[in-house]
Amino acid sequence: MSAWENGKGGCIVPILVGIAGFLFLGPFGLFIGPLAAMLFSKPRGRGGVGGFRSLSATQDAIIALVAATVQADGRIMRSELDYVRLLFQRMFGAELAQVALLRLRDLLNSNVDIYTACRVIRMTMADSRRADLVRVLMELAFVDGVASESERTLIQRIAVLLGVTMGGEQAQQGRQRAKVYTAPPVNYYAVLGISPSATDEEVKRAYRQLAIKWHPDRMGDKSEKERERANEMLQRINEAYEKIKKSRGMK
């Protein structure tokens, strides 16, 4: 990522414009130039000019492909947006995810140029990462239950543009992973203190830790009220774990 992409180059622009202002307008231009540059610059995220971070060209391109996939079937589902929110947090971190969501909102109201986005990604991402991205897009297509023909066609076109060979395996993986976001309801994951994007191993680990924490054998020196609460918690934990296991086909 260059200094211009991450915001570190923002301080250079006013200096250069100030020098140009001095050459053309004299001492007065030395002050007006940087001011104009700061007023008319439009940072896209926090941490750069004006306290904003910027999205890199690659990140912006990924968001564009996500937007195109959401648009593909002509409707925007809440389940898709919930998935995208978790995806951006995982990919970009909590702070930059908010910037990415704002960028997504803008793109959803426009015609997305997937060709430019794919060209940027192909130049900046390794083959394996591009293949991962195609799988993520297929997962997104299945989040609302069924991937439409228009979604499949779009993702196949994106795969070709990214130089990724796409077969039935990606579709199957997308369908299986999408179950995490469609059922069971997110509150079961909240009971275990994890997100719907957690792996099967993370689900098992969270369950074991909570089952030990709230097991009756650990409540011997507690009050009757505390023991009752522990039993209720353990029932909720067991129910959540069973629901999640069933939805994922876990053993």
Side-chain angles (χ1 to χ4, degrees):
M1 183 185 301
S2 70
W4 299 101
E5 290 175 330
N6 65 18
K8 293 179 181 177
C11 61
I12 299 175
V13 176
I15 294 173
L16 295 178
V17 177
I19 294 172
F22 177 80
L23 293 176
F24 288 97
L25 299 176
F28 183 70
L30 186 63
F31 298 96
I32 293 298
L35 178 60
M38 293 175 67
L39 288 175
F40 289 100
S41 63
K42 294 181 67 177
R44 289 182 295 174
R46 295 185 181 176
V49 181
F52 284 84
R53 282 183 63 190
S54 297
L55 294 164
S56 72
T58 303
Q59 290 168 336
D60 199 65
I62 291 171
I63 297 167
L65 296 187
V66 169
T69 304
V70 172
Q71 290 175 330
D73 60 359
R75 55 181 184 168
I76 300 175
M77 305 293 290
R78 178 60 182 268
S79 56
E80 292 175 322
L81 296 179
D82 287 343
Y83 168 86
V84 170
R85 186 176 296 106
L86 290 168
L87 173 67
F88 285 173
Q89 289 175 356
R90 192 169 70 229
M91 294 179 70
F92 305 140
E95 182 182 358
L96 195 55
Q98 298 303 313
V99 180
L101 287 170
L102 291 175
R103 177 61 175 152
L104 176 70
R105 184 186 63 184
D106 293 340
L107 288 169
L108 288 175
N109 294 318
S110 63
N111 293 321
V112 177
D113 181 2
I114 66 169
Y115 298 96
T116 298
C118 288
R119 186 163 58 249
V120 170
I121 291 172
R122 191 160 184 172
M123 290 189 300
T124 57
M125 290 178 66
D127 293 353
S128 61
R129 297 296 299 277
R130 298 200 303 271
D132 288 341
L133 177 58
V134 171
R135 282 192 288 270
V136 166
L137 295 178
M138 184 59 75
E139 186 177 323
L140 172 58
F142 275 104
V143 159
D144 54 0
V146 178
S148 67
E149 187 63 30
S150 57
E151 288 172 320
R152 289 173 178 266
T153 300
L154 172 70
I155 295 171
Q156 288 171 350
R157 187 183 309 138
I158 289 172
V160 170
L161 292 172
L162 293 180
V164 174
T165 301
M166 183 177 171
E169 179 185 354
Q170 281 86 351
Q172 181 64 23
Q173 289 176 343
R175 185 182 296 108
Q176 291 298 323
R177 287 290 297 160
K179 290 180 180 179
V180 175
Y181 297 90
T182 55
V186 175
N187 64 330
Y188 285 123
Y189 289 95
V191 170
L192 298 187
I194 55 177
S195 76
S197 61
T199 64
D200 290 353
E201 283 304 314
E202 289 171 335
V203 172
K204 293 176 182 178
R205 188 183 310 119
Y207 168 72
R208 286 194 296 266
Q209 291 173 347
L210 290 172
I212 292 173
K213 177 180 178 180
W214 295 102
H215 196 278
D217 290 348
R218 298 175 63 91
M219 301 294 156
D221 59 343
K222 304 295 183 181
S223 66
E224 183 177 351
K225 186 175 181 179
E226 288 175 312
R227 288 197 298 271
E228 289 177 357
R229 179 171 179 267
N231 285 329
E232 291 175 0
M233 285 296 300
L234 191 57
Q235 288 176 4
R236 291 179 60 195
I237 291 164
N238 286 331
E239 179 188 8
Y241 184 54
E242 290 303 319
K243 293 287 187 181
I244 294 172
K245 279 175 57 181
K246 183 177 179 180
S247 73
R248 293 186 173 208
M250 292 168 54
K251 299 296 184 181

